[in-house]
PDB file of all heavy atoms in Angstrom:
ATOM      1  N   TYR O 623      11.479  10.030 -17.695  1.00 83.00           N
ATOM      2  CA  TYR O 623      10.099   9.557 -17.639  1.00 83.00           C
ATOM      3  C   TYR O 623       9.472   9.680 -16.253  1.00 83.00           C
ATOM      4  O   TYR O 623       8.330   9.284 -16.056  1.00 83.00           O
ATOM      5  CB  TYR O 623      10.033   8.093 -18.091  1.00 83.00           C
ATOM      6  CG  TYR O 623      10.448   7.904 -19.529  1.00 83.00           C
ATOM      7  CD1 TYR O 623      11.703   7.403 -19.844  1.00 83.00           C
ATOM      8  CD2 TYR O 623       9.585   8.231 -20.568  1.00 83.00           C
ATOM      9  CE1 TYR O 623      12.097   7.233 -21.160  1.00 83.00           C
ATOM     10  CE2 TYR O 623       9.976   8.063 -21.884  1.00 83.00           C
ATOM     11  CZ  TYR O 623      11.234   7.568 -22.177  1.00 83.00           C
ATOM     12  OH  TYR O 623      11.621   7.411 -23.486  1.00 83.00           O
ATOM     13  N   GLY O 624      10.224  10.244 -15.301  1.00 79.00           N
ATOM     14  CA  GLY O 624       9.740  10.293 -13.924  1.00 79.00           C
ATOM     15  C   GLY O 624       8.896  11.495 -13.582  1.00 79.00           C
ATOM     16  O   GLY O 624       8.575  11.695 -12.408  1.00 79.00           O
ATOM     17  N   GLY O 625       8.555  12.325 -14.568  1.00 75.00           N
ATOM     18  CA  GLY O 625       7.725  13.487 -14.300  1.00 75.00           C
ATOM     19  C   GLY O 625       8.542  14.746 -14.096  1.00 75.00           C
ATOM     20  O   GLY O 625       9.765  14.763 -14.272  1.00 75.00           O
ATOM     21  N   ALA O 626       7.861  15.839 -13.723  1.00 74.00           N
ATOM     22  CA  ALA O 626       8.514  17.139 -13.592  1.00 74.00           C
ATOM     23  C   ALA O 626       9.566  17.151 -12.485  1.00 74.00           C
ATOM     24  O   ALA O 626      10.582  17.825 -12.600  1.00 74.00           O
ATOM     25  CB  ALA O 626       7.462  18.218 -13.331  1.00 74.00           C
ATOM     26  N   LYS O 627       9.320  16.451 -11.391  1.00 77.00           N
ATOM     27  CA  LYS O 627      10.269  16.381 -10.278  1.00 77.00           C
ATOM     28  C   LYS O 627      10.547  14.921  -9.955  1.00 77.00           C
ATOM     29  O   LYS O 627      10.049  14.378  -8.951  1.00 77.00           O
ATOM     30  CB  LYS O 627       9.727  17.117  -9.055  1.00 77.00           C
ATOM     31  CG  LYS O 627       9.579  18.614  -9.267  1.00 77.00           C
ATOM     32  CD  LYS O 627       9.088  19.290  -7.998  1.00 77.00           C
ATOM     33  CE  LYS O 627       8.984  20.800  -8.185  1.00 77.00           C
ATOM     34  NZ  LYS O 627       8.501  21.474  -6.958  1.00 77.00           N
ATOM     35  N   PRO O 628      11.348  14.260 -10.772  1.00 82.00           N
ATOM     36  CA  PRO O 628      11.585  12.827 -10.553  1.00 82.00           C
ATOM     37  C   PRO O 628      12.398  12.579  -9.292  1.00 82.00           C
ATOM     38  O   PRO O 628      13.315  13.320  -8.968  1.00 82.00           O
ATOM     39  CB  PRO O 628      12.374  12.414 -11.803  1.00 82.00           C
ATOM     40  CG  PRO O 628      13.045  13.674 -12.256  1.00 82.00           C
ATOM     41  CD  PRO O 628      12.096  14.785 -11.926  1.00 82.00           C
ATOM     42  N   ALA O 629      12.034  11.539  -8.578  1.00 89.00           N
ATOM     43  CA  ALA O 629      12.772  11.096  -7.396  1.00 89.00           C
ATOM     44  C   ALA O 629      13.342   9.716  -7.690  1.00 89.00           C
ATOM     45  O   ALA O 629      12.617   8.819  -8.113  1.00 89.00           O
ATOM     46  CB  ALA O 629      11.859  11.047  -6.181  1.00 89.00           C
ATOM     47  N   VAL O 630      14.646   9.567  -7.478  1.00 92.00           N
ATOM     48  CA  VAL O 630      15.322   8.328  -7.831  1.00 92.00           C
ATOM     49  C   VAL O 630      16.154   7.847  -6.653  1.00 92.00           C
ATOM     50  O   VAL O 630      16.838   8.638  -5.997  1.00 92.00           O
ATOM     51  CB  VAL O 630      16.254   8.518  -9.054  1.00 92.00           C
ATOM     52  CG1 VAL O 630      16.826   7.181  -9.504  1.00 92.00           C
ATOM     53  CG2 VAL O 630      15.523   9.196 -10.201  1.00 92.00           C
ATOM     54  N   SER O 631      16.095   6.555  -6.392  1.00 93.00           N
ATOM     55  CA  SER O 631      16.908   5.935  -5.353  1.00 93.00           C
ATOM     56  C   SER O 631      17.803   4.884  -6.000  1.00 93.00           C
ATOM     57  O   SER O 631      17.343   4.068  -6.795  1.00 93.00           O
ATOM     58  CB  SER O 631      16.015   5.272  -4.300  1.00 93.00           C
ATOM     59  OG  SER O 631      16.780   4.469  -3.428  1.00 93.00           O
ATOM     60  N   VAL O 632      19.098   4.933  -5.665  1.00 95.00           N
ATOM     61  CA  VAL O 632      20.071   3.964  -6.168  1.00 95.00           C
ATOM     62  C   VAL O 632      20.748   3.314  -4.972  1.00 95.00           C
ATOM     63  O   VAL O 632      21.237   4.008  -4.073  1.00 95.00           O
ATOM     64  CB  VAL O 632      21.130   4.634  -7.065  1.00 95.00           C
ATOM     65  CG1 VAL O 632      22.074   3.582  -7.641  1.00 95.00           C
ATOM     66  CG2 VAL O 632      20.477   5.437  -8.184  1.00 95.00           C
ATOM     67  N   ARG O 633      20.749   1.991  -4.955  1.00 96.00           N
ATOM     68  CA  ARG O 633      21.361   1.259  -3.837  1.00 96.00           C
ATOM     69  C   ARG O 633      22.293   0.179  -4.375  1.00 96.00           C
ATOM     70  O   ARG O 633      22.013  -0.446  -5.397  1.00 96.00           O
ATOM     71  CB  ARG O 633      20.295   0.604  -2.962  1.00 96.00           C
ATOM     72  CG  ARG O 633      19.363   1.560  -2.252  1.00 96.00           C
ATOM     73  CD  ARG O 633      18.272   0.788  -1.541  1.00 96.00           C
ATOM     74  NE  ARG O 633      18.826  -0.177  -0.592  1.00 96.00           N
ATOM     75  CZ  ARG O 633      18.196  -1.269  -0.191  1.00 96.00           C
ATOM     76  NH1 ARG O 633      16.995  -1.558  -0.675  1.00 96.00           N
ATOM     77  NH2 ARG O 633      18.751  -2.089   0.680  1.00 96.00           N
ATOM     78  N   CYS O 634      23.389  -0.027  -3.671  1.00 97.00           N
ATOM     79  CA  CYS O 634      24.300  -1.137  -3.956  1.00 97.00           C
ATOM     80  C   CYS O 634      24.355  -2.022  -2.717  1.00 97.00           C
ATOM     81  O   CYS O 634      24.537  -1.529  -1.602  1.00 97.00           O
ATOM     82  CB  CYS O 634      25.713  -0.626  -4.270  1.00 97.00           C
ATOM     83  SG  CYS O 634      25.835   0.295  -5.794  1.00 97.00           S
ATOM     84  N   LEU O 635      24.233  -3.303  -2.910  1.00 96.00           N
ATOM     85  CA  LEU O 635      24.269  -4.216  -1.779  1.00 96.00           C
ATOM     86  C   LEU O 635      24.798  -5.583  -2.189  1.00 96.00           C
ATOM     87  O   LEU O 635      24.913  -5.878  -3.383  1.00 96.00           O
ATOM     88  CB  LEU O 635      22.884  -4.367  -1.156  1.00 96.00           C
ATOM     89  CG  LEU O 635      21.770  -4.936  -2.041  1.00 96.00           C
ATOM     90  CD1 LEU O 635      20.795  -5.749  -1.211  1.00 96.00           C
ATOM     91  CD2 LEU O 635      20.997  -3.800  -2.726  1.00 96.00           C
ATOM     92  N   ARG O 636      25.087  -6.351  -1.202  1.00 96.00           N
ATOM     93  CA  ARG O 636      25.558  -7.721  -1.420  1.00 96.00           C
ATOM     94  C   ARG O 636      24.446  -8.693  -1.037  1.00 96.00           C
ATOM     95  O   ARG O 636      23.871  -8.609   0.046  1.00 96.00           O
ATOM     96  CB  ARG O 636      26.805  -7.996  -0.579  1.00 96.00           C
ATOM     97  CG  ARG O 636      27.335  -9.416  -0.699  1.00 96.00           C
ATOM     98  CD  ARG O 636      28.669  -9.567  -0.005  1.00 96.00           C
ATOM     99  NE  ARG O 636      29.222 -10.898  -0.213  1.00 96.00           N
ATOM    100  CZ  ARG O 636      30.495 -11.204  -0.064  1.00 96.00           C
ATOM    101  NH1 ARG O 636      31.357 -10.255   0.315  1.00 96.00           N
ATOM    102  NH2 ARG O 636      30.929 -12.427  -0.278  1.00 96.00           N
ATOM    103  N   GLN O 637      24.160  -9.605  -1.935  1.00 95.00           N
ATOM    104  CA  GLN O 637      23.186 -10.664  -1.677  1.00 95.00           C
ATOM    105  C   GLN O 637      23.854 -12.004  -1.975  1.00 95.00           C
ATOM    106  O   GLN O 637      24.019 -12.385  -3.130  1.00 95.00           O
ATOM    107  CB  GLN O 637      21.937 -10.483  -2.541  1.00 95.00           C
ATOM    108  CG  GLN O 637      21.068  -9.307  -2.137  1.00 95.00           C
ATOM    109  CD  GLN O 637      19.782  -9.223  -2.936  1.00 95.00           C
ATOM    110  OE1 GLN O 637      19.616  -9.875  -3.959  1.00 95.00           O
ATOM    111  NE2 GLN O 637      18.857  -8.405  -2.471  1.00 95.00           N
ATOM    112  N   GLY O 638      24.274 -12.680  -0.911  1.00 95.00           N
ATOM    113  CA  GLY O 638      24.994 -13.937  -1.097  1.00 95.00           C
ATOM    114  C   GLY O 638      26.295 -13.717  -1.825  1.00 95.00           C
ATOM    115  O   GLY O 638      27.150 -12.949  -1.382  1.00 95.00           O
ATOM    116  N   ASN O 639      26.452 -14.359  -2.965  1.00 96.00           N
ATOM    117  CA  ASN O 639      27.685 -14.231  -3.750  1.00 96.00           C
ATOM    118  C   ASN O 639      27.502 -13.301  -4.942  1.00 96.00           C
ATOM    119  O   ASN O 639      28.202 -13.422  -5.950  1.00 96.00           O
ATOM    120  CB  ASN O 639      28.142 -15.613  -4.242  1.00 96.00           C
ATOM    121  CG  ASN O 639      27.126 -16.262  -5.164  1.00 96.00           C
ATOM    122  OD1 ASN O 639      25.992 -15.787  -5.282  1.00 96.00           O
ATOM    123  ND2 ASN O 639      27.522 -17.348  -5.812  1.00 96.00           N
ATOM    124  N   ARG O 640      26.574 -12.357  -4.831  1.00 97.00           N
ATOM    125  CA  ARG O 640      26.302 -11.445  -5.936  1.00 97.00           C
ATOM    126  C   ARG O 640      26.303  -9.995  -5.460  1.00 97.00           C
ATOM    127  O   ARG O 640      25.914  -9.685  -4.323  1.00 97.00           O
ATOM    128  CB  ARG O 640      24.952 -11.757  -6.591  1.00 97.00           C
ATOM    129  CG  ARG O 640      24.859 -13.186  -7.112  1.00 97.00           C
ATOM    130  CD  ARG O 640      23.539 -13.446  -7.794  1.00 97.00           C
ATOM    131  NE  ARG O 640      23.485 -12.898  -9.125  1.00 97.00           N
ATOM    132  CZ  ARG O 640      24.004 -13.488 -10.201  1.00 97.00           C
ATOM    133  NH1 ARG O 640      24.618 -14.659 -10.083  1.00 97.00           N
ATOM    134  NH2 ARG O 640      23.929 -12.924 -11.383  1.00 97.00           N
ATOM    135  N   ALA O 641      26.775  -9.120  -6.351  1.00 97.00           N
ATOM    136  CA  ALA O 641      26.662  -7.676  -6.142  1.00 97.00           C
ATOM    137  C   ALA O 641      25.411  -7.209  -6.862  1.00 97.00           C
ATOM    138  O   ALA O 641      25.166  -7.580  -8.009  1.00 97.00           O
ATOM    139  CB  ALA O 641      27.888  -6.959  -6.700  1.00 97.00           C
ATOM    140  N   VAL O 642      24.607  -6.403  -6.185  1.00 98.00           N
ATOM    141  CA  VAL O 642      23.315  -5.991  -6.734  1.00 98.00           C
ATOM    142  C   VAL O 642      23.224  -4.467  -6.772  1.00 98.00           C
ATOM    143  O   VAL O 642      23.547  -3.790  -5.791  1.00 98.00           O
ATOM    144  CB  VAL O 642      22.146  -6.557  -5.901  1.00 98.00           C
ATOM    145  CG1 VAL O 642      20.802  -6.152  -6.513  1.00 98.00           C
ATOM    146  CG2 VAL O 642      22.248  -8.079  -5.814  1.00 98.00           C
ATOM    147  N   LEU O 643      22.792  -3.956  -7.903  1.00 97.00           N
ATOM    148  CA  LEU O 643      22.529  -2.535  -8.079  1.00 97.00           C
ATOM    149  C   LEU O 643      21.019  -2.369  -8.254  1.00 97.00           C
ATOM    150  O   LEU O 643      20.428  -2.954  -9.162  1.00 97.00           O
ATOM    151  CB  LEU O 643      23.265  -2.007  -9.309  1.00 97.00           C
ATOM    152  CG  LEU O 643      23.070  -0.532  -9.659  1.00 97.00           C
ATOM    153  CD1 LEU O 643      23.764   0.359  -8.642  1.00 97.00           C
ATOM    154  CD2 LEU O 643      23.600  -0.238 -11.066  1.00 97.00           C
ATOM    155  N   LEU O 644      20.400  -1.581  -7.374  1.00 96.00           N
ATOM    156  CA  LEU O 644      18.953  -1.395  -7.397  1.00 96.00           C
ATOM    157  C   LEU O 644      18.612   0.044  -7.769  1.00 96.00           C
ATOM    158  O   LEU O 644      19.132   0.987  -7.148  1.00 96.00           O
ATOM    159  CB  LEU O 644      18.341  -1.712  -6.031  1.00 96.00           C
ATOM    160  CG  LEU O 644      18.521  -3.134  -5.494  1.00 96.00           C
ATOM    161  CD1 LEU O 644      17.958  -3.233  -4.087  1.00 96.00           C
ATOM    162  CD2 LEU O 644      17.825  -4.134  -6.408  1.00 96.00           C
ATOM    163  N   PHE O 645      17.772   0.205  -8.774  1.00 94.00           N
ATOM    164  CA  PHE O 645      17.234   1.512  -9.150  1.00 94.00           C
ATOM    165  C   PHE O 645      15.751   1.531  -8.820  1.00 94.00           C
ATOM    166  O   PHE O 645      15.040   0.559  -9.077  1.00 94.00           O
ATOM    167  CB  PHE O 645      17.397   1.761 -10.657  1.00 94.00           C
ATOM    168  CG  PHE O 645      18.708   2.382 -11.033  1.00 94.00           C
ATOM    169  CD1 PHE O 645      19.835   1.604 -11.174  1.00 94.00           C
ATOM    170  CD2 PHE O 645      18.811   3.742 -11.266  1.00 94.00           C
ATOM    171  CE1 PHE O 645      21.044   2.161 -11.537  1.00 94.00           C
ATOM    172  CE2 PHE O 645      20.014   4.311 -11.620  1.00 94.00           C
ATOM    173  CZ  PHE O 645      21.134   3.531 -11.763  1.00 94.00           C
ATOM    174  N   ARG O 646      15.287   2.653  -8.280  1.00 93.00           N
ATOM    175  CA  ARG O 646      13.866   2.790  -7.981  1.00 93.00           C
ATOM    176  C   ARG O 646      13.458   4.226  -8.224  1.00 93.00           C
ATOM    177  O   ARG O 646      14.125   5.161  -7.781  1.00 93.00           O
ATOM    178  CB  ARG O 646      13.599   2.415  -6.518  1.00 93.00           C
ATOM    179  CG  ARG O 646      12.146   2.585  -6.065  1.00 93.00           C
ATOM    180  CD  ARG O 646      11.308   1.424  -6.528  1.00 93.00           C
ATOM    181  NE  ARG O 646      10.009   1.417  -5.876  1.00 93.00           N
ATOM    182  CZ  ARG O 646       8.917   2.046  -6.340  1.00 93.00           C
ATOM    183  NH1 ARG O 646       8.990   2.751  -7.444  1.00 93.00           N
ATOM    184  NH2 ARG O 646       7.774   1.955  -5.698  1.00 93.00           N
ATOM    185  N   ASP O 647      12.374   4.425  -8.974  1.00 92.00           N
ATOM    186  CA  ASP O 647      11.812   5.760  -9.099  1.00 92.00           C
ATOM    187  C   ASP O 647      10.327   5.707  -8.783  1.00 92.00           C
ATOM    188  O   ASP O 647       9.732   4.634  -8.694  1.00 92.00           O
ATOM    189  CB  ASP O 647      12.082   6.376 -10.480  1.00 92.00           C
ATOM    190  CG  ASP O 647      11.318   5.693 -11.613  1.00 92.00           C
ATOM    191  OD1 ASP O 647      10.090   5.503 -11.489  1.00 92.00           O
ATOM    192  OD2 ASP O 647      11.930   5.369 -12.657  1.00 92.00           O
ATOM    193  N   TRP O 648       9.758   6.883  -8.585  1.00 89.00           N
ATOM    194  CA  TRP O 648       8.349   6.988  -8.196  1.00 89.00           C
ATOM    195  C   TRP O 648       7.563   7.772  -9.247  1.00 89.00           C
ATOM    196  O   TRP O 648       6.649   8.509  -8.924  1.00 89.00           O
ATOM    197  CB  TRP O 648       8.235   7.631  -6.820  1.00 89.00           C
ATOM    198  CG  TRP O 648       8.679   6.714  -5.733  1.00 89.00           C
ATOM    199  CD1 TRP O 648       7.895   5.895  -4.970  1.00 89.00           C
ATOM    200  CD2 TRP O 648      10.029   6.473  -5.291  1.00 89.00           C
ATOM    201  NE1 TRP O 648       8.664   5.184  -4.098  1.00 89.00           N
ATOM    202  CE2 TRP O 648       9.980   5.514  -4.261  1.00 89.00           C
ATOM    203  CE3 TRP O 648      11.271   6.984  -5.675  1.00 89.00           C
ATOM    204  CZ2 TRP O 648      11.123   5.065  -3.613  1.00 89.00           C
ATOM    205  CZ3 TRP O 648      12.407   6.532  -5.042  1.00 89.00           C
ATOM    206  CH2 TRP O 648      12.335   5.581  -4.014  1.00 89.00           C
ATOM    207  N   GLY O 649       7.937   7.566 -10.500  1.00 87.00           N
ATOM    208  CA  GLY O 649       7.257   8.227 -11.596  1.00 87.00           C
ATOM    209  C   GLY O 649       5.975   7.504 -11.996  1.00 87.00           C
ATOM    210  O   GLY O 649       5.452   6.669 -11.256  1.00 87.00           O
ATOM    211  N   PRO O 650       5.480   7.784 -13.203  1.00 87.00           N
ATOM    212  CA  PRO O 650       4.221   7.173 -13.657  1.00 87.00           C
ATOM    213  C   PRO O 650       4.340   5.703 -14.012  1.00 87.00           C
ATOM    214  O   PRO O 650       3.324   5.030 -14.203  1.00 87.00           O
ATOM    215  CB  PRO O 650       3.855   8.004 -14.891  1.00 87.00           C
ATOM    216  CG  PRO O 650       5.164   8.552 -15.375  1.00 87.00           C
ATOM    217  CD  PRO O 650       5.981   8.792 -14.144  1.00 87.00           C
TER     218      PRO O 650
END
């Protein structure tokens, strides 16, 4: 769904006592 040339960022980080997986795209 991100268009003809989708750009995606995936990050893993620690926030306090939780593991967090972040997805971000710049589509429509």
Side-chain angles (χ1 to χ4, degrees):
Y623 297 103
K627 295 182 178 180
V630 186
S631 169
V632 184
R633 296 174 57 205
C634 293
L635 61 147
R636 178 172 185 160
Q637 289 185 346
N639 62 349
R640 302 182 78 81
V642 182
L643 179 70
L644 299 175
F645 272 82
R646 177 80 168 89
D647 69 50
W648 288 265

